[in-house]
Amino acid sequence: MSWGSELWDQFDNLEKHTQWGIEFVEKYSKFVKERTEIEFSYAKQIRNLSRKYQPKKNSREEEENKYTFCRAFLTTLNELNDYAGQHEVIAENLTSQIICELSRYLQELKSERKSHFHDGRKAQQYIESSWKQLESCKRRFERECKEADRAQQHFEKMDADINVTKADVERARQQAQMKQQMATDSKGDYSSYLQKFNQEQNEHYYTIIPNIFQKLQDMEEKRIERIGVCMKTFADVDRQILPIVGKCLDGMTKAAESIEPKDDSKQVIESYKSGFEPPGDVDFEDYGQAMKRTVSDTSLTNSKEPKEKPVSKTKGKLWPFIKNKNKGSGPEDFSHLPPEQRRKKLQGKIDDLNKDIQKEMDQRDALTKMKDVYVKNPQMGDPASVDPRLSEIGHTIEKLQAEVQKFEGWYTEVEERMPSKSDSHRKSGLYEAQNNSAVSSNSCAQDRESPDGSYTEEQNSETQLRAKPNLNPPTSSTPDFDDEFEDEETLPTIGTCKALYPFEGHNEGTISVAEGELLYVIEEDKGDGWTRVRRNEEEEGYVPTSYVDVFLETNAKDS
């Protein structure tokens, strides 16, 4: 069915309908544009979310990456970022394939519609003008006929009147003949123009208007077809990214499935293992009776002062359970860390330095090859221009190698200090437990060590009033000790020890030592947490057993 034959008289309605079609295209274009804005906004929010939860660039990130669930979460964030990128692709494709195309098409559609309706109005105006001319010819023919009739009647009246002269009758006859001729001429004009009008009208309604309306129909059908193509593209744009979105989701699923709770539990051990042995038994402190020196106990009593008992030798191993308040990066040799963690840090530092050395060496090899090429082909470059850079790299490698040697020395030192199972069993004392051992255990464990693992001589006032753990070794104020000290002034050397930590030794009977200092052992720890050492013939005293690494001679061990 054709608009030209079926809607030949609906020019105004077709004009309204085609205008509504253009408005619909604009409406759909606006809809796609808003969808594009939503996709861009969604992608931006997803990217911001992914960026917000990305691990920060610090040492904590390296620690977190050791755990499988942290790595899985990082993978999820990266996949989510790619997922956001696919929504940006949707927005970009909608813009290029629909919005831009519809914008150009709308301009063409409006121009074509305007041209067709301009031709239609022109044809309509022409046929209306022809109709007006036909009406004009018709009215003139009608007027001429009426005037010819009146002139004929006047002539007949004059001819019948005997009182009228012959000359007047002749003039009336001539007037009637003239009017009759004019009516005849008007009739001919009217007849010929009517025939012409009918031909033009037939051409107008059966040729011109149908052609114009057919063009409008074709234009409208193309518009509808274009809308259908855009709607299909609208769906295809989403469908095209589904495989990639599926891969992103598969990546998230794979990351989730890669989480290994057992491995993470092992990693916690690797991260926080100190390398220390658990503390040994704490000896019972009996406040109900006077403390007496036994054969296996080196604790001393003082009748004039509140009785004090030295702390257990295991006190130095309680410090890992105390919260460390030192949040700084620590010294270069990581000496602030427990042995196991220090060893790992040093190993990691050595590995990093070796990587840097290898990188510099590769660069040096490349420059050496370049220099050889310049030597063989001087036109390619000056060999001497490479020498400054080679010298600089050589100095850098030497510095890095010196750093490696320094850290390897610290690493060897840590390896030597790592306690073995046999040492820990040899140094552990066994004490008899009694009913109130829990109470004495708490009082003995308090304030024996500072958060960084060093001893502190600050005591709780309440504990002092009762029986505080004694950081002071046996003093010479007791008669028993005087006698014993006099007898043991010439004690033989039974081994050596190396100070693991600095000790001030403010209390009487102690001796101050520096970290790494070598001393002679003259009396080993007998369960009270103190070891008697000698620096030279005149300087000797007690140091905390946990502050030194003891190496006993073979005959001393056997005894």
Side-chain angles (χ1 to χ4, degrees), residues 57-125:
K57 300 296 182 181
N58 51 31
S59 58
R60 181 64 181 172
E61 177 188 5
E62 299 177 359
E63 296 294 329
E64 291 179 351
N65 286 337
K66 296 178 181 178
Y67 299 100
T68 58
F69 64 90
C70 290
R71 293 197 297 269
F73 182 56
L74 179 60
T75 302
T76 300
L77 293 176
N78 293 333
E79 295 292 348
L80 191 64
N81 191 61
D82 296 340
Y83 177 81
Q86 295 310 306
H87 283 275
E88 291 178 347
V89 171
I90 290 177
E92 291 170 358
N93 290 341
L94 289 177
T95 301
S96 61
Q97 299 180 24
I98 297 181
I99 297 177
C100 295
E101 292 295 327
L102 283 182
S103 178
R104 288 192 295 267
Y105 177 68
L106 271 172
Q107 298 299 325
E108 298 173 359
L109 185 63
K110 291 178 179 179
S111 177
E112 183 180 0
R113 175 181 175 277
K114 181 178 180 181
S115 175
H116 294 329
F117 279 102
H118 176 73
D119 295 340
R121 290 192 183 91
K122 186 176 180 181
Q124 192 72 21
Q125 292 173 358

Side-chain angles (χ1 to χ4, degrees), residues 7-190:
L7 303 176
W8 60 271
D9 58 344
Q10 298 298 320
F11 185 89
D12 293 339
N13 287 332
L14 289 178
E15 186 177 16
K16 293 178 181 178
H17 177 78
T18 51
Q19 178 61 33
W20 173 78
I22 291 177
E23 292 174 355
F24 182 85
V25 174
E26 292 175 341
K27 176 182 177 181
Y28 185 77
S29 178
K30 183 179 179 181
F31 159 75
V32 177
K33 184 176 181 181
E34 291 183 2
R35 163 73 190 280
T36 301
E37 293 173 354
I38 291 174
E39 292 292 343
F40 272 125
S41 176
Y42 178 68
K44 181 180 180 181
Q45 293 179 15
I46 291 294
R47 283 194 185 278
N48 290 340
L49 179 65
S50 175
R51 191 178 302 111
K52 176 181 178 181
Y53 285 93
Q54 286 283 348
K56 302 298 183 292
K57 300 296 182 181
N58 51 31
S59 58
R60 181 64 181 172
E61 177 188 5
E62 299 177 359
E63 296 294 329
E64 291 179 351
N65 286 337
K66 296 178 181 178
Y67 299 100
T68 58
F69 64 90
C70 290
R71 293 197 297 269
F73 182 56
L74 179 60
T75 302
T76 300
L77 293 176
N78 293 333
E79 295 292 348
L80 191 64
N81 191 61
D82 296 340
Y83 177 81
Q86 295 310 306
H87 283 275
E88 291 178 347
V89 171
I90 290 177
E92 291 170 358
N93 290 341
L94 289 177
T95 301
S96 61
Q97 299 180 24
I98 297 181
I99 297 177
C100 295
E101 292 295 327
L102 283 182
S103 178
R104 288 192 295 267
Y105 177 68
L106 271 172
Q107 298 299 325
E108 298 173 359
L109 185 63
K110 291 178 179 179
S111 177
E112 183 180 0
R113 175 181 175 277
K114 181 178 180 181
S115 175
H116 294 329
F117 279 102
H118 176 73
D119 295 340
R121 290 192 183 91
K122 186 176 180 181
Q124 192 72 21
Q125 292 173 358
Y126 180 78
I127 199 65
E128 290 176 356
S129 175
S130 297
W131 171 258
K132 291 178 180 179
Q133 292 181 3
L134 178 61
E135 287 292 320
S136 176
C137 291
K138 181 180 176 181
R139 287 195 296 272
R140 187 172 67 252
F141 170 60
E142 181 182 6
R143 185 174 61 253
E144 294 293 341
C145 288
K146 289 180 179 180
E147 291 180 355
D149 288 341
R150 285 197 296 270
Q152 184 64 29
Q153 291 176 3
H154 179 68
F155 167 68
E156 290 177 354
K157 183 178 179 182
M158 293 289 287
D159 187 40
D161 190 355
I162 59 174
N163 297 321
V164 177
T165 62
K166 189 175 180 180
D168 291 336
V169 172
E170 186 60 27
R171 282 199 298 274
R173 185 182 66 78
Q174 290 177 356
Q175 186 68 25
Q177 289 178 351
M178 185 184 66
K179 292 295 184 182
Q180 189 65 35
Q181 185 61 41
M182 292 176 63
T184 302
D185 294 340
S186 296
K187 180 179 180 181
D189 293 341
Y190 171 66

Side-chain angles (χ1 to χ4, degrees), residues 313 317 422-429 525 545 548-550:
K313 91 162 198 50
K317 295 173 183 170
S422 59
D423 292 341
S424 63
H425 287 303
R426 177 176 60 79
K427 294 180 182 179
S428 297
D525 183 5
T545 302
V548 295
D549 194 4
V550 178

